[in-house]
């Protein structure tokens, strides 16, 4: 049974980097955080080059259009208006050429835009996929301490929602930013070519718009991060409650939990609305100031045409380039808002990627000796283990224990004695502060984690069943096992008969977390999984606790057969399951207080004898 001492994390190294939900990196004052995406962008230089080339062509075509319009107005319509007799000659030919040129520019623009859209969309999807893979691969390597201090819903929010924001930036916003930057610069140059005086005036006015955009941009970024955090909190809450729905319904807390979630999503909504209002204000200010400046300058230009200081074509060209510049500024302010949101998302993902596991494999791991025919040896050498949350109380204190190959050792004791903590240390989910644990004479801290855990099979009390069929759930014990080997393991675990009775046998879907199975059936699936792995060391955490009497008899017989040729450590509260163990270890307060067989410990009259008297009293009296 799960020991109370497993509730707190620990390690022997410096404390693991705090989980994202409890530790935020320092807020950054700009979108410089997006530089953290460079390692994910670097492998695709060729695609970025192609997108950039298409972008340049499209921008050049766009900037050429106003010049074509100037030619059309001045040399086409202008000459036609001034020389009516020439309509059928030079003017018409020139207009035809101008319109053919405009159509050619439009075709080039369409092809380049389509190529740019395809390439950057591919990049967005590819980079987002790579980020999701990297984040998930990093998260699944974390020690149990990480998962005890981080809500699963928050991690899922970062992998899904945050990466979607990054996809929008990589797949759209970066391209739009570069495109509009080119249009802004090119349009600005052409404005000065057309009319230096009007251009100087409009630039001076546009500079005045930068300050409010910067101020509101920073506020949008902060609110974007807050909004994403609130959504993650709501997602974490929903995940926790949905996973505990039977308990929620048993205690009739449906309305309470619905209200809690409602309050959480309402908080997220209010934060999002603050962000939306700030972005709306940013957009409004940018548009009013930019277009106000343009209208004023165009008013000056109209007077210049009237006074003969510039031609109608020049003014038309100036208007189009001013529109391009204004549109570019508006688009850049919009892109900046998206970039601010993506910066917050990137920051959250980088936090997750920066978390270092407290348990890491050594740089140069040792190898285990060849497997012995009768299993592995296991030793604890003066092991002391404390949880940081209870530094005044040792979960294990100066524990020394030697388990011989092929030996079956049962560990019993009251709750909180440190039984399950032993299993956590054997699997190296945590490291002790003092002492060492040896597997076949090798310190487990010198072993690769896959090597160590590959040598250990465990049947936990709380069985995990995956959303898959029975065959794949058992095959989880050894991914390369054949169907025949899976079925053989199921027979040994007394699971074959009930699996065969399922609607489609071994191909039957077991439901999320095994909801279609009874507790005893789930336990037998877990036992079959461990037997399929065929490890030299078997850990049984009250492996028959969820079984009825008949199933317990079958599984106990199967386990006894499975123990042959391997070392077995059993945690048990029901002493009937450990009476035939080679040795029984009695723990109390993290120490071994008694050792012996069932008979010798009962005769000793100590803690074990008291436990046995309590558990067997009814049975003795009935006989």
């Amino acid at each position: 049974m799960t020991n109370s001492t497993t509730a707190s994390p620990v390690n022997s190294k410096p404390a693991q980097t705090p989980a994202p939900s409890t530790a935020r990196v320092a807020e950054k004052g700009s979108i410089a955080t997006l530089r953290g995406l460079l390692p994910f962008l670097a492998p695709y230089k060729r695609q970025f080059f192609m997108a950039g080339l298409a972008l340049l062509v499209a921008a050049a075509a766009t900037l050429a259009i106003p010049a074509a319009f100037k030619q059309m107005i001045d040399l086409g319509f202008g000459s036609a208006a001034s020389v009516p007799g020439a309509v059928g000659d030079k003017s018409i030919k020139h207009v035809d050429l101008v319109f053919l040129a405009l159509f050619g520019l439009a075709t080039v623009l369409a092809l380049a835009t389509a190529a740019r859209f395809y390439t950057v969309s591919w990049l967005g999807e590819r980079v987002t996929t790579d980020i999701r893979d990297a984040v998930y691969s990093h998260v699944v390597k974390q020690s149990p301490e990480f998962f005890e201090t981080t809500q699963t819903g928050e991690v899922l929010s970062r992998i899904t929602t945050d990466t979607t924001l990054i996809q929008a930036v990589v797949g759209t916003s970066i391209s739009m930013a570069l495109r509009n930057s080119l249009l802004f610069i090119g349009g600005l140059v052409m404005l000065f070519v057309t009319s230096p005086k009007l251009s100087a005036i409009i630039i001076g006015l546009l500079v005045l718009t930068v300050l409010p955009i910067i101020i509101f941009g920073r506020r949008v970024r902060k609110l974007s991060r807050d909004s994403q955090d609130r959504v993650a909190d709501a997602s974490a809450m929903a995940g926790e409650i949905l996973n505990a729905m039977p308990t929620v319904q048993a205690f009739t807390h449906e309305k309470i939990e619905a209200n809690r979630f409602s309050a959480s999503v309402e908080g997220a909504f209010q934060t999002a609305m603050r962000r939306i209002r700030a972005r709306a204000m940013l957009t409004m200010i940018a548009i009013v100031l930019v277009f106000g400046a343009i209208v004023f300058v165009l008013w000056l230009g109209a007077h210049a045409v009237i006074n003969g200081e510039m031609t109608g074509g020049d003014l038309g060209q100036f208007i189009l380039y001013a529109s391009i510049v204004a549109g570019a500024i508006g688009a850049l302010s919009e892109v900046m808002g998206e970039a601010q949101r993506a910066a917050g998302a990137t920051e959250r993902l980088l936090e997750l990627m920066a978390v270092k596991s407290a348990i890491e494999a050594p740089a140069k791991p040792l190898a285990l000796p060849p497997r012995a025919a009768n299993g592995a040896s296991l030793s604890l050498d003066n092991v002391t283990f404390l949880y940081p949350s209870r530094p005044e109380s040792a979960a294990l204190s100066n524990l020394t224990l030697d388990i011989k190959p092929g030996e079956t050792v049962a560990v019993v004791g009251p709750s909180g004695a440190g039984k399950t903590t032993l299993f956590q240390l054997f699997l190296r989910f945590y490291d002790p502060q003092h002492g060492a644990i040896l597997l076949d004479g090798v310190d487990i801290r010198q072993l690769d984690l896959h090597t160590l855990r590959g040598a250990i099979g465990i049947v936990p009390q709380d069985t995990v069943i995956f959303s898959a069929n029975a065959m794949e759930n058992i095959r989880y014990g050894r991914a390369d096992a054949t169907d025949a080997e899976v079925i053989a393991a199921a027979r040994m675990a007394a699971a074959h008969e009930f699996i065969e009775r399922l609607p489609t046998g071994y191909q039957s879907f077991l439901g999320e977390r095994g909801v279609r199975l009874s507790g005893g059936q789930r336990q037998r699936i877990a036992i079959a999984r461990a037997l399929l792995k065929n490890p030299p060391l078997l850990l049984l955490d009250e492996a028959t606790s969820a079984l009825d009497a008949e199933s317990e008899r079958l599984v106990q017989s199967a386990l006894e057969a499975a123990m042959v040729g391997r070392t077995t450590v059993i945690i048990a509260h029901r002493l009937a399951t450990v009476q035939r163990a080679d040795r029984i270890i009695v723990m109390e307060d993290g120490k071994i207080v008694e050792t012996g067989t069932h008979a010798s410990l009962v005769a000793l009259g100590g803690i074990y004898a008291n436990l046995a008297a309590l558990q067997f009293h009814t049975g003795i009296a009935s006989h």
Side-chain angles (χ1 to χ4, degrees):
M1 188 173 291
T2 304
N3 197 308
S4 63
T5 59
T6 62
S8 302
V10 73
N11 69 82
S12 62
K13 302 174 182 178
Q16 175 168 318
T17 304
S21 58
T22 57
R24 304 288 187 198
V25 297
E27 290 289 332
K28 299 174 179 61
S30 69
I31 60 173
T33 311
L34 292 174
R35 285 200 298 265
L37 297 178
L38 290 178
F40 297 100
L41 304 178
Y44 306 110
K45 295 183 180 69
R46 178 171 172 269
Q47 287 79 3
F48 275 105
F49 174 78
M50 293 172 60
L53 183 62
L55 191 64
L56 286 171
V57 173
T62 302
L63 291 170
I65 290 174
F69 269 95
K70 169 181 163 50
Q71 294 296 317
M72 182 179 65
I73 293 171
D74 282 347
L75 300 181
F77 298 151
S79 62
S82 61
V83 188
V87 170
D89 187 16
K90 180 180 177 182
S91 297
I92 291 178
K93 289 181 179 180
H94 186 76
V95 168
D96 290 344
L97 288 175
V98 169
F99 274 98
L100 282 174
L102 278 174
F103 180 75
L105 286 173
T107 302
V108 171
L109 177 62
L111 291 173
T113 301
R116 174 187 62 82
F117 173 78
Y118 175 83
T119 308
V120 298
S121 296
W122 184 91
L123 282 167
E125 295 290 346
R126 181 70 263 166
V127 170
T128 302
T129 299
D130 292 348
I131 291 173
R132 284 175 176 156
D133 282 346
V135 172
Y136 188 79
S137 297
H138 182 72
V139 167
V140 298
K141 294 175 183 176
Q142 299 305 305
S143 70
E145 179 179 345
F146 172 85
F147 298 100
E148 291 178 6
T149 56
T150 305
Q151 291 179 303
T152 303
E154 179 170 351
V155 175
L156 293 177
S157 173
R158 297 187 183 206
I159 293 176
T160 54
T161 306
D162 290 353
T163 51
T164 300
L165 291 174
I166 292 173
Q167 178 183 359
V169 169
V170 176
T172 304
S173 298
I174 290 178
S175 171
M176 292 296 293
L178 291 174
R179 175 179 178 272
N180 285 286
S181 295
L182 288 174
L183 291 179
F184 174 76
I185 295 170
L188 207 56
V189 170
M190 293 307 297
L191 281 177
F192 276 97
V193 170
T194 305
S195 175
K197 177 183 174 181
L198 292 180
S199 299
I201 294 172
I202 199 171
I203 294 303
L205 292 173
L206 291 178
V207 168
L208 298 178
T209 67
V210 173
L211 185 60
I213 290 175
I214 291 175
I215 293 173
F216 274 88
R218 289 179 177 175
R219 175 168 171 77
V220 166
R221 180 177 181 277
K222 182 179 184 301
L223 290 173
S224 295
R225 174 61 187 262
D226 291 343
S227 178
Q228 289 155 223
D229 287 345
R230 298 295 77 75
V231 171
D233 291 342
S235 177
M237 178 186 296
E240 180 182 23
I241 297 306
L242 290 176
N243 284 331
M245 192 50 63
T247 303
V248 171
Q249 293 177 345
F251 285 91
T252 64
H253 273 223
E254 296 94 333
K255 185 173 180 57
I256 293 174
E257 296 301 343
N259 289 340
R260 283 182 62 212
F261 182 75
S262 178
S264 181
V265 293
E266 184 64 26
F269 170 75
Q270 295 299 336
T271 304
M273 288 308 301
R274 288 196 295 273
R275 170 181 57 81
I276 291 169
R277 283 193 292 270
R279 284 197 63 185
M281 184 66 67
L282 174 63
T283 303
M284 182 190 73
I285 290 174
I287 291 174
V288 168
L289 293 177
V290 170
F291 279 91
I294 290 172
V295 168
F296 174 71
V297 172
L298 291 181
W299 175 77
L300 295 176
H303 280 272
V305 172
I306 293 171
N307 296 331
E309 297 173 2
M310 64 189 306
T311 67
D314 286 335
L315 181 58
Q317 176 174 296
F318 190 88
I319 291 172
L320 289 175
Y321 280 126
S323 298
I324 289 174
V325 171
I329 292 175
L332 285 172
S333 67
E334 185 72 17
V335 169
M336 183 63 69
E338 292 296 330
Q340 298 286 5
R341 294 188 68 196
T346 301
E347 192 174 53
R348 286 157 51 86
L349 286 168
L350 292 179
E351 284 178 6
L352 205 54
M353 293 292 289
V355 174
K356 300 296 183 183
S357 177
I359 303 297
E360 296 181 346
K364 296 182 179 180
L366 301 179
L368 284 172
R371 178 174 176 173
N374 56 346
S377 66
L378 186 64
S379 302
L380 288 86
D381 182 14
N382 200 32
V383 169
T384 297
F385 178 77
L386 301 89
Y387 289 110
S389 60
R390 297 192 300 275
E392 74 288 347
S393 176
L396 298 176
S397 181
N398 300 319
L399 201 67
T400 297
L401 176 65
D402 288 314
I403 301 175
K404 300 179 179 63
E407 189 176 13
T408 298
V409 174
V411 182
V412 301
S415 295
K419 303 184 297 298
T420 302
T421 301
L422 277 179
F423 279 20
Q424 302 268 6
L425 295 182
F426 290 160
L427 288 161
R428 208 182 164 218
F429 289 160
Y430 307 108
D431 282 336
Q433 282 80 10
H434 303 287
I437 300 173
L438 309 178
L439 180 65
D440 280 336
V442 181
D443 190 328
I444 62 174
R445 285 172 293 199
Q446 300 302 315
L447 293 172
D448 182 80
L449 291 173
H450 286 84
T451 300
L452 169 65
R453 294 167 185 170
I456 300 174
I458 183 166
V459 180
Q461 184 181 11
D462 297 322
T463 303
V464 174
I465 300 295
F466 298 96
S467 296
N469 59 37
M471 181 72 72
E472 294 308 315
N473 262 285
I474 297 175
R475 188 177 277 126
Y476 204 81
R478 183 158 55 87
D480 60 351
T482 64
D483 289 356
E485 289 172 324
V486 170
I487 293 172
R491 289 182 185 277
M492 291 182 65
H496 178 71
E497 290 186 4
F498 85 76
I499 293 175
E500 284 286 277
R501 290 195 297 268
L502 294 174
T504 54
Y506 281 85
Q507 300 305 316
S508 297
F509 177 69
L510 302 183
E512 189 174 1
R513 303 190 314 278
V515 294
R516 298 183 182 181
L517 302 179
S518 68
Q521 289 172 334
R522 289 197 295 270
Q523 198 74 5
R524 280 179 275 173
I525 291 287
I527 293 170
R529 190 183 290 162
L531 295 177
L532 180 65
K533 190 176 185 181
N534 191 28
L537 175 61
L538 184 62
L539 307 180
L540 306 177
D541 189 354
E542 196 61 81
T544 60
S545 63
L547 306 182
D548 55 50
E550 177 63 18
S551 296
E552 181 177 1
R553 184 186 63 79
L554 293 171
V555 172
Q556 193 64 41
S557 175
L559 286 175
E560 288 176 2
M563 291 174 190
V564 176
R566 59 173 51 88
T567 305
T568 307
V569 182
I570 306 171
I571 290 177
H573 289 272
R574 296 165 61 179
L575 303 185
T577 64
V578 300
Q579 291 185 48
R580 283 180 284 183
D582 297 321
R583 189 161 34 127
I584 298 173
I585 305 296
V586 183
M587 294 187 65
E588 186 177 42
D589 297 330
K591 300 177 182 178
I592 297 175
V593 292
E594 296 176 5
T595 302
T597 62
H598 171 74
S600 66
L601 291 174
V602 168
L604 187 63
I607 294 175
Y608 184 87
N610 291 334
L611 292 173
L614 289 172
Q615 292 194 22
F616 298 131
H617 175 72
T618 303
I620 295 171
S622 64
H623 287 80

